[in-house]
Amino acid sequence: ALRKLVSERHPDLIVGYTYYALGPIAAAAREAGIPSVAKLFGVMYLNHLGMPKLKYWWYNYEQILAMRKRVDHYIVLNDGTQGLAALTRLGIPAGRISFLPNGMDKTWAALEVDRGDERAALGLPPDKTLLVTFSRLVGSKRVDLFLEAAALIAPELLEGAAIVIGGDGPYRAMLEARAAELGLGDRTFFTGPIRYEQVPRFLKACDIFVGTNELTNMSMPSCEALLCGLPVVAFDVAGTSETIVDGRNGLLAPDNDLPALASKIETLLAGRDLRERLGRQAMASALENFMSWDERVSKEIELFERLSGENRHP
């Protein structure tokens, strides 16, 4: 199908998405004598080298085998899964990799929100410090560890807090049941899916973002929380510390260390001044370091134009 499309349209460049496309685009571009680009939205577990060998191979063998089909250039999303390190370790020259961050809507930082109104609209308590996470509710997000850590928080601090879990997915029923088992049912609020345009209002109605993602806590929700002025408490996994700097815009705990995560959350629940200072610094660091969508798209277009101009057989 791709050969037929190339013969009919005579493109200057072939772009494939995810590692599944590497074989077809490499072959079709080679046959047509034109450049090829693979766009990878992170590399999942490819750089999680601390995994047991059998588990690492099980999680990564498809991607490792696909990477043997070489293309002319790779656009790799810097989502905290450390794609640049993973690809160079597999022998791909750094000069053939564009390591680009996600674009962010930086206007979110300036958005004014009536926290009381937003909380009322979402059915959230008006007078509690809200600990929030949001994602698709699947195993790799490890939202159950958020609940387990919350259950370890000192009762006098937990009394003034509530837990907010945004999003939906196959793990929702299990998480609701686990919250009840841990005695958190009356202070845990599941909002269901949050529409994209509502995300900044949702975040700005809350106080502390908690990240427990197994892959990386440099993911979009964590970054969006920083942009909205929330300090982030997270497990320090993969490239998380590239964006969340302990003591500057959030607090980090060793991966899977539930008492440490609970302690970090307690620190922010007990210290309003610290929480607010880290929140201000979170927004400032996001505005300084994140790339707007316009900048992000321009970078990609510039790359496509350059590679198209290198057409090997004009």
Side-chain angles (χ1 to χ4, degrees):
L2 184 54
R3 285 191 181 101
K4 183 174 185 293
L5 184 63
V6 169
S7 67
E8 290 173 350
R9 304 308 293 262
H10 307 290
D12 298 304
L13 177 71
I14 298 181
V15 183
Y17 294 83
T18 80
Y19 64 84
Y20 295 109
L22 282 166
I25 66 170
R30 184 172 59 251
E31 292 170 11
I34 58 177
S36 53
V37 179
K39 187 172 180 180
L40 307 178
F41 300 96
V43 295
M44 301 294 286
Y45 297 92
L46 196 57
N47 213 48
H48 281 236
L49 302 176
M51 287 175 133
K53 288 184 178 179
L54 184 59
K55 183 178 180 181
Y56 179 84
W57 178 249
W58 175 252
Y59 274 55
N60 294 297
Y61 74 92
E62 283 187 327
Q63 194 166 189
I64 292 170
L65 294 175
M67 288 293 176
R68 296 178 181 177
K69 307 294 185 181
R70 295 299 168 86
V71 296
D72 294 297
H73 204 86
Y74 300 79
I75 298 172
V76 184
L77 178 67
N78 182 11
D79 65 344
T81 55
Q82 301 175 310
L84 180 61
L87 265 62
T88 53
R89 186 170 46 80
L90 292 176
I92 297 169
R96 291 169 59 186
I97 302 169
S98 293
F99 194 48
L100 299 175
N102 266 309
M104 303 287 291
D105 186 345
K106 295 170 81 169
T107 64
W108 286 9
L111 180 68
E112 296 288 339
V113 168
D114 186 310
R115 285 163 55 88
D117 287 349
E118 295 301 329
R119 289 187 177 199
L122 291 164
L124 302 176
D127 56 347
K128 302 289 187 182
T129 302
L130 300 186
L131 308 172
V132 63
T133 196
F134 79 98
S135 65
R136 178 160 168 73
L137 302 182
V138 295
S140 65
K141 309 303 181 182
R142 301 191 300 186
V143 177
D144 56 316
L145 299 189
F146 176 21
L147 295 172
E148 302 285 348
L152 299 177
I153 294 172
E156 63 273 18
L157 291 174
L158 190 60
E159 180 59 33
I163 299 159
V164 181
I165 298 175
D168 210 344
Y171 274 49
R172 178 168 174 173
M174 179 275 287
L175 292 168
E176 290 175 336
R178 188 59 181 145
E181 290 169 1
L182 292 167
L184 301 172
D186 61 345
R187 66 177 67 253
T188 303
F189 298 83
F190 290 82
T191 69
I194 304 293
R195 291 164 59 117
Y196 178 73
E197 62 271 19
Q198 290 300 118
V199 168
R201 296 183 177 279
F202 168 64
L203 287 171
K204 289 192 174 199
C206 299
D207 299 287
I208 301 165
F209 186 92
V210 180
T212 51
N213 195 318
E214 182 178 42
L215 284 167
T216 173
N217 289 299
M218 188 183 161
S219 54
M220 285 296 288
S222 301
C223 292
E224 289 168 345
L226 294 174
L227 186 61
C228 289
L230 273 68
V232 175
V233 177
F235 285 134
D236 188 5
V237 59
T240 297
S241 61
E242 295 173 29
T243 294
I244 301 164
V245 181
D246 190 60
R248 184 176 302 173
N249 57 12
L251 299 175
L252 295 176
D255 190 28
N256 266 317
D257 189 333
L258 292 177
L261 187 69
S263 176
K264 300 291 185 177
I265 295 171
E266 287 179 334
T267 297
L268 293 188
L269 288 174
R272 181 170 181 172
D273 289 346
L274 174 63
R275 185 168 75 237
E276 291 179 349
R277 176 172 63 81
L278 293 181
R280 289 192 299 271
Q281 293 173 181
M283 183 181 291
S285 68
L287 287 171
E288 179 182 357
N289 297 307
F290 291 167
M291 187 178 287
S292 72
W293 275 116
D294 285 345
E295 294 173 296
R296 176 64 169 81
V297 170
S298 293
K299 292 276 188 187
E300 205 156 310
I301 290 172
E302 288 169 9
L303 174 64
F304 290 159
E305 289 176 341
R306 176 172 64 80
L307 292 171
S308 296
E310 296 174 0
N311 193 323
R312 291 187 288 271
H313 295 288

